[in-house]
């Protein structure tokens, strides 16, 4: 069903476009000495170290078309392994390995999609191509402010899959989309000394899944210091529009996006390494998708928890 395929693609698209944010209150510290303390926050992982990241996502996408409202729900658990290869001139080279992934998606009550890397043969056919990514690795370079500057080897992983499923993965996990998505998680640091109450702004811009342009602005503040942890609060806005130029997913050729959203959150960051130990996220996005002259109002709400730990 074409409509359910569109909904499914958008589900995957907004899953990987998650940002580091949350709505829970930050930890409170009444120690005045901690509030006067300056801390240097930057991406500072060390060569030889390994880290495990796990994300848990619950998401609802509601669309209206031809007088009908359709809701897609999904639960996803995904893991990555970061193996720090080198740090040179402020640039960190990381070997990123796709770990386990589990996905349960209900597309408007018309189609149920499942995948579990621990039991790939038990999943639905539409998602089995993901098995070709589990256990595979690519290189990523990140500067001290957490900005992803370069990705190598990811395109080769996807191109080796072939077929229509490879095209879907290419649009969702291609280099430009992965850079944008990783930036949303890691590009959070002021890369300078800050005290409790200090604020800074970060901006993100780039294509998403080869089908639309994303612009995001986030205001961060250091709300507290708890021992070795810096507690960051974030409030941001997002804007999604038509991607100019060539390319684009053939499933959504000619589609125009006019979507806006907000994101608010709290991050617990290890001061020494800059590792985000826990991130909780809420996103609310709404607007219109126009496909072949048909306006489709839609809303996307996401709850995401990302945890990181040193291995």
């Amino acid at each position: 069903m074409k409509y359910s395929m569109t909904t499914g693609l958008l589900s995957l698209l907004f899953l990987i476009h998650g940002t580091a944010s949350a709505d829970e209150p930050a930890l409170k510290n009444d120690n005045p000495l901690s509030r006067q303390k300056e801390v240097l926050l930057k991406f500072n992982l060390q060569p030889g170290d390994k880290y495990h990241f796990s994300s848990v996502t619950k998401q609802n996408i509601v669309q209206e078309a031809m007088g009908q409202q359709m809701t897609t729900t999904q639960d996803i658990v995904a893991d990555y392994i970061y193996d720090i290869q080198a740090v040179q001139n402020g640039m960190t080279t990381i070997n990123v390995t796709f770990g386990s992934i589990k996905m349960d998606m209900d597309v408007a009550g018309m189609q149920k999609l499942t995948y579990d890397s621990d039991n790939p043969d038990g999943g639905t056919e539409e998602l089995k191509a993901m098995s070709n990514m589990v256990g595979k690795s690519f290189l990523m370079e990140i500067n001290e402010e957490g900005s992803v500057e370069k990705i190598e080897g990811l395109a080769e992983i996807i191109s080796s899959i072939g077929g229509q499923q490879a095209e879907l993965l290419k649009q969702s996990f291609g280099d430009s989309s992965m850079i944008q998505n990783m930036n949303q998680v890691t590009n959070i640091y002021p890369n300078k000394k800050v005290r409790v109450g200090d604020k800074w702004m970060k901006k993100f811009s780039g294509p998403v899944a080869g089908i639309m342009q994303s612009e995001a602005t986030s205001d961060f503040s250091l709300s507290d210091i708890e021992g070795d942890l810096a507690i960051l609060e974030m409030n941001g806005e997002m804007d999604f529009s038509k991607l100019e130029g060539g390319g684009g997913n053939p499933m959504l050729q000619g589609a125009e996006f006019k979507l806006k959203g907000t994101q608010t959150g709290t991050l617990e960051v290890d001061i020494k390494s800059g590792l985000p130990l826990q991130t909780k996220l809420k996103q609310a996005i709404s607007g219109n998708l126009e496909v072949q002259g048909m306006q489709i109002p839609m809303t996307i709400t996401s709850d995401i928890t990302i945890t990181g730990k040193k291995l």
Side-chain angles (χ1 to χ4, degrees):
M1 219 174 303
K2 182 176 180 181
Y3 186 78
S4 62
M5 288 177 67
T6 301
T7 310
L9 173 61
L10 288 169
S11 300
L12 183 59
L13 164 63
F14 284 101
L15 157 68
I16 65 171
H17 195 66
T19 328
S21 51
D23 67 340
E24 296 189 358
L27 299 174
K28 297 300 180 184
N29 185 355
D30 294 326
N31 186 342
L33 294 179
S34 292
R35 292 187 170 276
Q36 295 173 14
K37 179 181 178 181
E38 283 190 331
V39 294
L40 176 62
L41 297 178
K42 66 178 183 177
F43 193 78
N44 192 34
L45 306 187
Q46 297 302 306
D49 289 344
K50 290 186 178 181
Y51 298 87
H52 174 266
F53 286 91
S54 180
S55 66
V56 179
T57 301
K58 294 183 179 295
Q59 188 174 70
N60 280 14
I61 297 178
V62 179
Q63 299 185 58
E64 296 181 15
M66 296 179 289
Q68 292 186 328
Q69 180 173 291
M70 308 181 76
T71 301
T72 294
T73 61
Q74 63 179 4
D75 295 329
I76 307 100
V77 180
D79 296 324
Y80 292 90
I81 301 295
Y82 278 21
D83 188 346
I84 314 305
Q85 302 292 297
V87 178
Q88 188 172 10
N89 298 324
M91 194 70 66
T92 302
T93 302
I94 304 174
N95 187 76
V96 182
T97 301
F98 290 101
S100 61
I101 184 168
K102 182 177 181 181
M103 178 182 296
D104 291 293
M105 184 186 305
D106 186 333
V107 184
M110 300 182 295
Q111 187 179 22
K112 292 188 177 182
L113 305 175
T114 63
Y115 175 79
D116 187 343
S117 58
D118 291 335
N119 181 27
D121 292 336
T124 48
E125 193 65 31
E126 292 87 346
L127 299 179
K128 284 186 177 180
M130 301 182 80
S131 294
N132 295 282
M133 301 182 69
V134 174
K136 302 292 179 61
S137 303
F138 61 93
L139 292 178
M140 179 170 65
E141 294 185 358
I142 302 181
N143 67 23
E144 291 181 336
E145 292 188 14
S147 177
V148 180
E149 300 293 324
K150 186 178 181 181
I151 283 181
E152 291 184 353
L154 182 56
E156 288 78 5
I157 295 174
I158 297 174
S159 62
S160 67
I161 298 173
Q164 184 177 359
Q165 291 182 330
E167 183 62 28
L168 174 60
L169 292 178
K170 178 180 178 182
Q171 299 300 331
S172 299
F173 293 96
D175 285 2
S176 62
S177 291
M178 186 61 73
I179 288 174
Q180 177 74 359
N181 300 327
M182 291 293 186
N183 267 330
Q184 293 278 22
V185 177
T186 61
N187 194 0
I188 62 175
Y189 309 96
N191 196 22
K192 65 179 181 180
K193 290 185 177 181
V194 290
R195 290 188 175 94
V196 171
D198 285 351
K199 299 180 180 181
W200 61 96
M201 183 176 67
K202 306 290 283 191
K203 291 186 176 182
F204 313 97
S205 177
V208 180
I211 58 175
M212 65 181 177
Q213 179 73 15
S214 170
E215 306 286 341
T217 301
S218 299
D219 293 315
F220 290 88
S221 65
L222 176 59
S223 65
D224 211 345
I225 296 174
E226 284 285 334
D228 297 328
L229 290 180
I231 311 302
L232 309 185
E233 292 186 357
M234 186 270 278
N235 287 279
E237 296 182 350
M238 299 172 292
D239 194 331
F240 302 95
S241 57
K242 182 179 180 180
L243 181 64
E244 301 297 335
N249 193 294
M251 293 167 60
L252 290 174
Q253 281 286 1
E256 292 195 27
F257 295 86
K258 295 180 180 179
L259 301 168
K260 292 183 180 293
T262 60
Q263 51 193 6
T264 55
T266 302
L267 301 83
E268 298 180 11
V269 179
D270 178 70
I271 294 172
K272 182 178 179 180
S273 66
L275 178 72
L277 297 176
Q278 180 167 277
T279 297
K280 292 196 174 182
L281 145 55
K282 274 192 181 296
Q283 281 187 346
I285 301 169
S286 62
N288 290 288
L289 164 65
E290 183 177 331
V291 181
Q292 298 178 349
M294 180 173 63
Q295 292 283 341
I296 304 176
M298 61 190 304
T299 60
I300 305 105
T301 56
S302 306
D303 288 281
I304 301 175
T305 300
I306 303 172
T307 56
K309 66 177 181 179
K310 185 177 180 181
L311 296 176

